Amino acid sequence: MADIVYRYKENVYFNITNKCPCRCAFCIRDKKTAIGDAEKLFHDHEPTKEEIKNAIDSFDFGESTCAVFCGYGEPTNAFDNLIYAAKYLKRLYPEKELRLNTNGLSDLINKRPTVSEICAVFDSVSISLNAPTSEEYDKITRNIYPGKAYDAMINFAKDCIKGGIKVRLSVVDVIGEEKIRKSRNIAKSINADFVVREYKT
Ligand code: SF4
């Protein structure tokens, strides 16, 4: 079985699904089979609730301050397990910050509003903005909802802000200065933090 929980730098990461509605040009899954201290991040089968619970129970969280749901897939593709695991972790480690790294397409993936459940347990969310327009976003992410995904992602970010959790939008540095500037303005316009991530090959 692949790693469900692994350590990368100072944080602990959760890899609860390999499903994703995107096929991003910058996806690390196309470059490396694992990251951090994980040996394998491609699951033979989608992890069950019990397997996720067992992985949490047997992992030494040590001094880590932040637990991040990220992994080699989109965490909201396993929505019930995501919320279950986050609540379980919050109960075991109330002092740790819980962060969701997401493409922001949860409502489209799950075909219903999902932000209130996320905001009830997560402290922060990091959303891949990727680009300043819907057309550029579709080109980069090659998502299965062309024409709809960008607005859904922005609305997801706005709803998370309304829900009272910290929201960060991110882009990768290779999109160029002009698109980074426009993306930063979008983040500012909705009161989200903004980060430019380095593209690692
Ligand atoms: S949304 Fe994330 S996991 Fe999915 S293809 Fe893009 S970078 Fe990869």
Side-chain angles (χ1 to χ4, degrees):
M1 170 131 210
D3 294 280
I4 294 173
V5 190
Y6 61 97
R7 200 179 303 278
Y8 178 56
K9 297 184 178 166
E10 71 277 15
N11 293 333
V12 173
Y13 285 78
F14 290 82
N15 174 45
I16 62 168
T17 181
N18 288 146
K19 291 185 183 171
C20 184
C22 302
R23 205 164 42 82
C24 296
F26 311 127
C27 187
I28 194 164
R29 302 188 298 182
D30 298 330
K31 316 261 179 302
K32 293 176 175 182
T33 53
I35 189 166
D37 72 0
E39 287 178 7
K40 179 180 164 197
L41 290 171
F42 288 109
H43 297 293
D44 303 323
H45 62 271
E46 286 286 289
T48 64
K49 205 168 275 183
E50 289 67 34
E51 286 167 338
I52 294 169
K53 180 181 179 298
N54 290 341
I56 293 172
D57 288 341
S58 56
F59 194 81
D60 175 10
F61 286 80
E63 298 298 310
S64 61
T65 54
C66 189
V68 187
F69 285 77
C70 178
Y72 268 33
E74 165 52 38
T76 62
N77 254 95
F79 195 77
D80 289 350
N81 286 351
L82 170 70
I83 299 298
Y84 165 79
K87 283 182 177 167
Y88 185 57
L89 267 173
K90 205 69 187 168
R91 212 164 62 229
L92 289 182
Y93 304 104
E95 74 289 354
K96 293 202 191 303
E97 180 185 342
L98 276 190
R99 187 173 88 211
L100 171 63
N101 285 6
T102 177
N103 57 24
L105 303 181
S106 179
D107 289 4
L108 285 178
I109 293 168
N110 295 291
K111 301 186 179 69
R112 64 182 175 84
T114 55
V115 168
S116 61
E117 287 165 85
I118 290 168
C119 292
V121 63
F122 280 92
D123 301 295
S124 62
V125 60
S126 179
I127 303 167
S128 303
L129 176 64
N130 284 308
T133 67
S134 176
E135 292 72 25
E136 287 157 342
Y137 177 88
D138 285 345
K139 218 187 228 176
I140 289 172
T141 63
R142 296 176 285 192
N143 68 80
I144 62 170
Y145 314 108
K148 292 202 289 189
Y150 192 72
D151 287 349
M153 177 270 297
I154 294 284
N155 286 335
F156 178 88
K158 287 179 180 170
D159 288 346
C160 286
I161 287 170
K162 276 191 216 141
I165 61 174
K166 278 190 281 177
V167 176
R168 182 177 80 181
L169 301 186
S170 72
V171 296
V172 179
D173 56 3
V174 292
I175 64 171
E177 275 309 312
E178 181 61 11
K179 288 178 189 171
I180 291 174
R181 189 184 60 76
K182 288 180 180 166
S183 299
R184 181 178 282 111
N185 286 342
I186 289 170
K188 200 171 165 196
S189 73
I190 65 166
N191 289 322
D193 292 335
F194 182 70
V195 67
V196 180
R197 288 182 286 117
E198 186 191 349
Y199 180 56
K200 295 191 185 102
T201 52

